[in-house]
Amino acid sequence: MCTVFRRRRTCIAKSYPLYRKVVPALAGTRLRGIAIDLPGLGLAERPADADYTWTGLGRWLLAAIDELRLDRFHLVLHDIGGPIGFEVAGAVPERVLSMTLLNTIIEVESFHRPWPMEPFAHRGIGEAWLAALRVPGAFLSIMRLVGVSRRVPTAEIACWLPLLFGDDRGRAFLKIMRGFELTAAKERRYLDVVRNGPFPVQVVWGARDKMLPWRRWGVAAQNAAGLREPIKLPAKHFLQEDCPKRSPRRSIVSP
């Protein structure tokens, strides 16, 4: 959900499987793909004592970028990778070459989790909802409805479920879902990053997204970035799955 590009180097975070089709499409563009899963997601470790808030994950991502010795980079932010990436850009704005927003949220104080996500925020209910996704066909049906188009093979969607549960039965994932910082202070910080950062910003949006619809969240991103011409793709929420060969070339803003 949160991608960091550097010329000849690319660091992709949260989550590696989502970008498995995007990285090969970058071949020949002077970019190299490095895929990273944030803690609690995909194949990453899921320490019980980790800070799974946006603040904590942003701090972790910046530490990973430093460890990779990426001095300057392009940020491509998707879903809750938006707030996590804003934390990075707010901490080191001088190192960000550009920022691209993909179906993400900036006005977090007024954000209400979409119905597939809302149950995860509540103790007991979240555990039950997560367990229900193991019922044959449940996860596939939700993903087809709000996540991806029919172009994405069923077998590929099925691979996501074990990565969601991991080796801790999804406990770390639930901590992430409950670590949202939906405050006025965070909203002001994120708006300031997008509006006043010393880097160009663009918006690329899956126009068929029912989770973060364009008319609310896309327009908000467009307004925050001060753009006249955002890029809309014929995709649902996971546009990296629906349009993997179209989004990479539109995901780098020349500084």
Side-chain angles (χ1 to χ4, degrees):
M1 288 193 182
C2 182
T3 311
V4 184
F5 287 95
R6 179 191 172 192
R7 285 193 180 95
R8 296 193 180 89
R9 290 197 177 185
T10 306
C11 161
I12 294 182
K14 207 288 172 186
S15 152
Y16 159 71
L18 183 59
Y19 290 93
R20 70 192 184 282
K21 299 176 183 177
V22 176
V23 172
L26 292 171
T29 65
R30 300 180 64 208
L31 294 168
R32 178 167 64 95
I34 304 172
I36 300 176
D37 284 327
L38 290 178
L41 297 168
L43 299 174
E45 294 183 356
R46 303 174 178 228
D49 59 349
D51 183 354
Y52 291 105
T53 65
W54 292 338
T55 300
L57 292 173
R59 189 181 302 117
W60 185 94
L61 179 57
L62 181 55
I65 292 170
D66 290 340
E67 184 68 21
L68 290 168
R69 299 181 181 179
L70 303 178
D71 50 357
R72 304 192 71 198
F73 45 83
H74 301 272
L75 278 171
V76 182
L77 309 176
H78 176 253
D79 198 87
I80 64 168
I84 296 168
F86 301 149
E87 295 286 339
V88 171
V92 291
E94 71 284 355
R95 295 171 61 184
V96 179
L97 290 170
S98 74
M99 178 181 289
T100 299
L101 306 178
L102 310 175
N103 296 58
T104 188
I105 53 175
I106 305 173
E107 298 176 354
V108 297
E109 185 184 17
S110 59
F111 176 68
H112 297 285
R113 295 172 179 82
W115 67 265
M117 187 186 294
E118 178 62 27
F120 296 131
H122 307 283
R123 295 190 181 278
I125 297 174
E127 284 75 5
W129 181 239
L130 191 62
L133 295 181
R134 290 186 181 273
V135 175
F139 183 73
L140 174 63
S141 296
I142 293 174
M143 284 293 288
R144 287 285 188 216
L145 182 63
V146 301
V148 298
S149 70
R150 293 284 176 181
R151 294 192 297 271
V152 181
T154 297
E156 294 187 11
I157 297 175
C159 293
W160 282 81
L161 200 55
L163 294 173
L164 181 67
F165 281 91
D167 58 6
D168 69 343
R169 299 182 181 180
R171 285 191 290 270
F173 169 75
L174 290 175
K175 290 180 180 179
I176 294 174
M177 293 295 101
R178 294 164 184 170
F180 291 12
E181 297 170 274
L182 307 176
T183 68
K186 285 296 186 185
E187 180 171 316
R188 288 193 299 270
R189 175 176 173 81
Y190 298 159
L191 284 170
D192 181 66
V193 166
V194 175
R195 289 172 175 168
N196 302 315
F199 42 79
V201 180
Q202 73 170 345
V203 174
V204 182
W205 211 267
R208 299 172 183 171
D209 190 354
K210 297 179 181 178
M211 298 263 283
L212 297 177
W214 167 259
R215 65 183 179 276
R216 171 61 181 96
W217 303 104
V219 170
Q222 178 185 4
N223 291 339
L227 296 176
R228 291 185 178 180
E229 298 182 2
I231 299 169
K232 297 181 185 180
L233 298 179
K236 292 186 178 181
H237 183 66
F238 296 106
L239 62 167
Q240 303 94 324
E241 293 280 0
D242 281 349
C243 301
K245 295 183 179 179
R246 296 182 61 182
S247 55
R249 293 182 176 85
R250 299 173 181 240
S251 297
I252 302 297
V253 182
S254 298

